[in-house]
Amino acid sequence: METLCLPAGKESLQKAAELFRAGQVVAFPTETVYGLGADALNEEAVRAIFAAKERPADNPLIVHVARRNQLEGLCRVTDTAEQLMDAFWPGPLTLLLMKTSRVPDVTTAGLPSVAVRCPSHPVAHELLEVCGLPIAAPSANRSGRPSPTTARDVYEDMAGRIPLILDGGSCDVGVESTVLDLTGDVPCVLRPGAITAEDVASIVGQCTVASSVMRPLKEGESAPSPGMKHRHYAPKAKMTVFIGTDEAVAAAIIARYDQAENAAILAHDSALPLFGGRRAFSLGSTPREGAHLLFRRLREMDALDVSLIFAQGWNAEGEALAVMNRMARAAAFDLVQL
Ligand code: AMP
Ligand code: MG
């Protein structure tokens, strides 16, 4: 199959909407990462997403809508959900709600809940408006790889597998949406993102974070969200993450880097001058900039065929939890606290 990559505009959006109506898969930009979309209520179309991504069938998809009233008949919207939608939609917050039988089991991997989100990116929003369908869309990477933050990243993973990629430039947030479980008594963050547990608690009073966000699952422990049990965000290189002051991190990384072959460093801007002429790349100066840059850097490391990555992290709390969850998983939880 030939894969077209078109700048997002009136005509290409119409074309994408037609493809959606015909049960095809199209990649499009959102404010978090690029999504790989298809009609969420069309079983065959949803199966085509799983096939293009090589995604395990037990990992459910997020259903995207342009407007709240598109959720009617798809899930049970609670009062808490209404309050959070008022505060954070459109935006990078996915809500888990109990589904109706109209949502096919393939979309939710057989789970009784469905994940729903209303993206704020103008291209995603316009596309969802134009097609008028709820669109199931996971990140547009091949399963296991770092999520795509540019149309070029999508092309790298999806060329020959899907008919169309809409190019809307690079994604603002850079890591996937916050996944918030609203099916229990207290809202619980299953996957951290740009909307933090603190943000949620400021609106609805309380919010917990799943304990497995920053550690590997224990033997026999069931994942609160299926996405957590799969290898994820992984570059080809082996990665280790160091947390501490710039000086402590630089000393620890330099000691290892100088013993290693074909290594590269990802560090905060304030620490970069400490690495001399070694191969070091910027992760920005704040957790938010780190989130924006992380997946791009991991893909660059893959392109350079780096064998080892030594990365500087942040303390895994508040705003930094989103980027640290991705870094920890990319490093298979090889974290060094200094
Ligand atoms: P992706 O869209 O590729 O970023 O992945 C969507 C994430 O949401 C994955 O981690 C899924 O496991 C999670 N997810 C989607 N639907 C559900 C659900 N019904 N219950 C729990 N987790 C879900
Ligand atoms: Mg994904």
Side-chain angles (χ1 to χ4, degrees):
M1 179 188 302
E2 194 199 351
T3 301
L4 282 177
C5 189
L6 301 175
K10 219 172 165 43
E11 269 177 40
S12 57
L13 282 170
Q14 283 294 348
K15 190 176 172 65
E18 274 163 36
L19 286 165
F20 280 155
R21 282 184 216 112
Q24 302 265 347
V25 178
V26 174
F28 61 95
T30 81
E31 69 276 21
T32 57
V33 301
Y34 273 72
L36 194 63
D39 180 352
L41 306 184
N42 175 338
E43 275 191 46
E44 280 311 305
V46 172
R47 275 186 224 289
I49 299 177
F50 280 93
K53 261 184 84 81
E54 299 171 36
R55 183 175 176 107
D58 66 352
N59 196 0
L61 309 182
I62 296 172
V63 176
H64 295 70
V65 293
R67 277 165 293 104
R68 232 187 270 191
N69 63 8
Q70 279 183 289
L71 296 177
E72 277 163 28
L74 300 186
C75 56
R76 184 143 33 89
V77 178
T78 60
D79 291 345
T80 303
E82 294 275 7
Q83 287 170 28
L84 292 169
M85 290 174 191
D86 285 340
F88 302 114
W89 276 20
L93 178 66
T94 295
L95 303 175
L96 285 189
L97 297 166
M98 295 310 286
K99 83 173 187 82
T100 68
S101 57
R102 269 193 72 208
V103 181
D105 283 339
V106 268
T107 305
T108 63
L111 291 171
S113 56
V114 60
V116 293
R117 169 158 114 84
C118 176
S120 63
H121 192 291
V123 172
H125 187 81
E126 182 74 20
L127 177 59
L128 292 165
E129 275 288 358
V130 170
C131 77
L133 298 166
I135 295 295
S139 50
N141 51 298
R142 279 207 309 277
S143 230
R145 297 212 62 208
S147 297
T149 55
T150 64
R152 202 170 151 187
D153 295 343
V154 179
Y155 191 81
E156 214 173 85
D157 280 21
M158 290 296 150
R161 294 168 180 242
I162 59 172
L164 178 62
I165 300 167
L166 291 179
D167 188 348
S170 92
C171 302
D172 199 19
V173 177
V175 295
E176 303 84 345
S177 59
T178 305
V179 175
L180 185 70
D181 186 357
L182 292 183
T183 65
D185 292 336
V186 177
C188 178
V189 171
L190 304 186
R191 176 176 74 182
I195 309 286
T196 64
E198 292 81 2
D199 292 334
V200 171
S202 76
I203 303 297
V204 295
Q206 49 185 349
C207 181
T208 57
V209 178
S211 68
S212 43
V213 158
M214 282 306 296
R215 60 159 173 82
L217 289 174
K218 294 174 192 146
E219 181 96 12
E221 182 182 3
S222 68
S225 170
M228 281 186 181
K229 67 175 183 258
H230 297 291
R231 189 178 133 88
H232 221 142
Y233 317 124
K236 290 179 205 145
K238 187 178 158 1
M239 177 160 147
T240 305
V241 180
F242 299 82
I243 300 142
T245 62
D246 287 348
E247 291 69 25
V249 167
I253 289 182
I254 287 171
R256 295 184 196 212
Y257 180 100
D258 288 349
Q259 300 293 311
E261 252 175 61
N262 196 24
I265 299 161
L266 299 178
H268 305 172
D269 288 342
S270 53
L272 281 178
L274 304 175
F275 293 104
R278 297 172 183 85
R279 194 154 61 152
F281 301 85
S282 166
L283 266 188
S285 48
T286 61
R288 192 180 292 205
E289 287 174 19
H292 177 72
L293 287 170
L294 178 68
F295 289 140
R296 192 204 303 177
R297 289 288 178 261
L298 294 182
R299 281 178 176 263
E300 285 167 4
M301 298 301 100
D302 275 359
L304 291 171
D305 253 324
V306 162
S307 317
L308 287 169
I309 300 170
F310 300 119
Q312 180 178 16
W314 286 269
N315 284 320
E317 57 194 22
E319 254 207 334
L321 196 58
V323 66
M324 285 309 295
N325 164 265
R326 288 12 174 237
M327 288 180 86
R329 298 181 65 104
F333 296 97
D334 187 9
L335 304 178
V336 181
Q337 186 82 46
L338 298 165

